Amino acid sequence: ALKLKKLGWNVYSECRFKDNKGRADLVVFKDGLGYIIEIMNSEKDLKHKKLTYPSDFEIIEIRTKNFEVKDFEL
């Protein structure tokens, strides 16, 4: 989240969606683009969560095993 903020993204953590239909780890916006970022630690997949997210967001899954922030780009 800090790296994205430094790059000029608007970052919202633990963002709840309308009618409490899900909560994303991060929602980020910049220049008309928006992404939902899910940090995958113990979850095996996001099928159940994806059903609760707005369909107009691209969902990015980040696996914590062997993750290096320096290698991450949007």
Side-chain angles (χ1 to χ4, degrees), residues 10-39:
N10 296 304
V11 179
Y12 302 90
S13 63
E14 295 300 322
C15 184
R16 290 183 185 260
F17 297 106
K18 187 176 179 179
D19 301 325
N20 199 23
K21 291 186 176 184
R23 183 173 61 203
D25 291 332
L26 296 174
V27 176
V28 298
F29 293 95
K30 180 180 176 181
D31 301 330
L33 297 174
Y35 298 95
I36 292 172
I37 300 175
E38 279 296 328
I39 311 302

Side-chain angles (χ1 to χ4, degrees), residues 1 3-4 25-26 28 35-46 50 59-74:
K3 180 176 180 176
L4 291 169
D25 291 332
L26 296 174
V28 298
Y35 298 95
I36 292 172
I37 300 175
E38 279 296 328
I39 311 302
M40 305 292 290
N41 186 20
S42 59
E43 299 102 335
K44 294 195 185 339
D45 65 61
L46 291 176
K50 286 181 180 181
I59 300 170
I60 298 171
E61 298 177 27
I62 295 178
R63 308 239 173 234
T64 57
K65 185 177 180 180
N66 301 322
F67 177 76
E68 294 287 338
V69 72
K70 65 180 176 54
D71 298 330
F72 179 72
E73 291 182 31
L74 277 179

